Amino acid sequence: MPPDYQSADMLAENAQFTPFVKALRGLDAPFEAYVRALAPPPSCIVSDWCNTWTAGVARSLGIPRLFFHGPSCFYSLCDLNAVVYGLHEQIAAAAAADDDDDKEEAHVVPGMPVRVTVTKGTAPGFYNAPGCEALRDEAIEVMLAADGVVVNTFLDLEGQFVACYEAALGKPVWTVGPLCLHNRDDEAMASCGGSAAAVDRRAITAWLDGQVPGSVVLVSFGTVLRKLPKHLFEVGHGLEESGKPFLWVVKEAEASRPEFLNERLAVDVLGVGVPIGVTAPVLLFGDEAMRFGRADVARAVSALMDGGEEAEERRRKAKEYGEKARRAMAEGGSSHESVTQLIASFIHSGGDELVT
């Protein structure tokens, strides 16, 4: 790996992702030395999919470890069940026996409280790209060995999936989100290693104040995976052709992480979204096959903004979930209480902090 590739944002191609994740394992010795030097010692270590190496450090030090998952609990449950019930192997066997390469068979994800079907292209899994199977198996093993799981969601959004996920894991699941409601100012982002917005917020606010309430489309694809310029080109033209005013969040190194199970959650379960028509996920930096065009973007925006009673119902639900999210994060809310219980569960005499 090049010496300056210190975060996923710096990666330039899909082939660098696996070496990047494996290179993180070199942090185990300095991290263990750092934790041993802490006084008082930490009560718990919290780590995610890309840092499975922390399991060995936690075990060596005798410190409890929590697994943090950023995606929805719906997605996490699908991912876990796909591994536990051997869904990936079933899909691979079915694909090998099917002579029609253009038609992907639908498979039901077992153990879900609602019916969820996936194809080979939309099967759940954080490490589903070819060559990442060992990383996936290791991540699942480390997750199952953790003392509990922390998820960026809230009960009023995914209560049934949280309960099923907790039962499937056989260990506590703490819902602490949505975390996006915290650290939203530029100073907080910079202190966490992020970068301040390269725009004048006052200019944006002034422009928004001049728009009809509820008329502006916000477009944001996330913070990790990158989109190719041709994808951005189609998205931009599609937004323009929709005829709707929009704000588009674009990083210097534009990125996204489309999960079509996330689409299923938004569209079919929560009823707040419309599908754009993509049938397979894009890899880390996008792939060469164009999976959508400007017409798909324009159609989706039109359905969201001009879809009559259905569109109004989607927007009503979205607003309702937004209000519930704020209540969950407020003092006394479900996520606030969950964080309080999490801390109380792991603080012990001589240790009063979590290390993430």
Side-chain angles (χ1 to χ4, degrees):
M1 297 293 295
D4 58 340
Y5 280 28
Q6 299 177 10
S7 72
D9 280 349
M10 304 302 297
L11 302 182
E13 58 186 33
N14 286 309
Q16 294 175 335
F17 182 68
T18 297
F20 172 76
V21 174
K22 290 182 177 179
L24 292 176
R25 297 172 181 175
L27 295 172
D28 57 353
F31 179 68
E32 180 170 343
Y34 166 76
V35 174
R36 286 187 182 277
L38 291 176
S43 300
C44 183
I45 293 174
V46 185
S47 57
D48 63 9
W49 280 100
C50 293
N51 294 286
T52 55
W53 53 271
T54 58
V57 175
R59 188 166 51 250
S60 174
L61 299 177
I63 298 175
R65 177 179 56 87
L66 295 179
F67 179 84
F68 173 76
H69 218 176
S72 65
C73 210
F74 172 84
Y75 172 86
S76 303
L77 181 60
C78 285
D79 190 9
L80 175 63
N81 287 346
V83 173
V84 171
Y85 290 96
L87 181 61
H88 294 289
E89 292 75 13
Q90 296 172 27
I91 292 176
D98 191 353
D99 295 331
D100 187 357
D101 294 334
D102 295 328
K103 182 179 179 181
E104 289 194 346
E105 180 181 350
H107 299 264
V108 176
V109 180
M112 297 297 295
V114 298
R115 179 178 172 83
V116 180
T117 60
V118 297
T119 64
K120 179 182 178 181
T122 61
F126 190 75
Y127 292 123
N128 265 6
C132 291
E133 295 81 5
L135 291 178
R136 181 191 69 198
D137 293 343
E138 180 183 60
I140 290 290
E141 180 183 350
V142 167
M143 179 185 70
L144 292 175
D147 295 286
V149 176
V150 181
V151 185
N152 183 18
T153 190
F154 59 101
L155 291 180
D156 276 341
L157 185 74
E158 298 192 274
Q160 61 178 331
F161 304 113
V162 172
C164 290
Y165 191 41
E166 192 168 57
L169 289 170
K171 57 191 63 180
V173 173
W174 285 278
T175 56
V176 299
L179 296 174
C180 62
L181 293 184
H182 281 298
N183 293 339
R184 300 178 67 182
D185 58 281
D186 292 345
E187 182 179 349
M189 283 188 62
S191 68
C192 294
S195 57
V199 294
D200 186 343
R201 287 191 173 186
R202 291 171 296 182
I204 293 178
T205 302
W207 178 79
L208 284 172
D209 287 343
Q211 307 301 315
V212 175
S215 67
V216 178
V217 180
L218 173 64
V219 184
S220 178
F221 292 105
T223 59
V224 179
L225 302 193
R226 200 164 303 163
K227 297 173 69 65
L228 294 176
K230 63 182 179 183
H231 292 141
L232 300 179
F233 187 80
E234 291 298 311
V235 170
H237 277 284
L239 290 170
E240 287 188 341
E241 291 177 8
S242 74
K244 302 298 179 184
F246 62 90
L247 282 178
W248 187 3
V249 182
V250 182
K251 293 178 56 180
E252 182 177 356
E254 163 57 20
S256 70
R257 183 175 181 4
E259 291 286 358
F260 302 94
L261 285 175
N262 281 344
E263 179 187 273
R264 190 72 54 82
L265 174 64
V267 175
D268 299 333
V269 179
L270 302 179
V272 297
V274 296
I276 198 172
V278 181
T279 58
V282 178
L283 297 179
L284 183 63
F285 301 105
D287 54 16
E288 294 305 316
M290 201 66 193
R291 301 188 185 278
F292 67 91
R294 65 189 68 181
D296 299 308
V297 176
R299 174 189 51 77
V301 172
S302 178
L304 282 173
M305 307 300 287
D306 299 326
E309 292 183 2
E310 290 186 3
E312 287 300 319
E313 179 63 9
R314 280 190 290 264
R315 295 167 77 169
R316 183 195 67 77
K317 289 181 178 179
K319 182 178 180 180
E320 181 179 306
Y321 281 125
E323 293 170 349
K324 289 180 177 179
R326 285 185 285 274
R327 289 200 296 269
M329 295 297 283
E331 186 173 354
S334 61
S335 293
H336 183 275
E337 290 300 301
S338 184
V339 171
T340 302
Q341 293 168 13
L342 185 159
I343 294 173
S345 297
F346 288 94
I347 285 184
H348 53 73
S349 58
D352 60 0
E353 62 178 309
L354 306 178
V355 176
T356 58

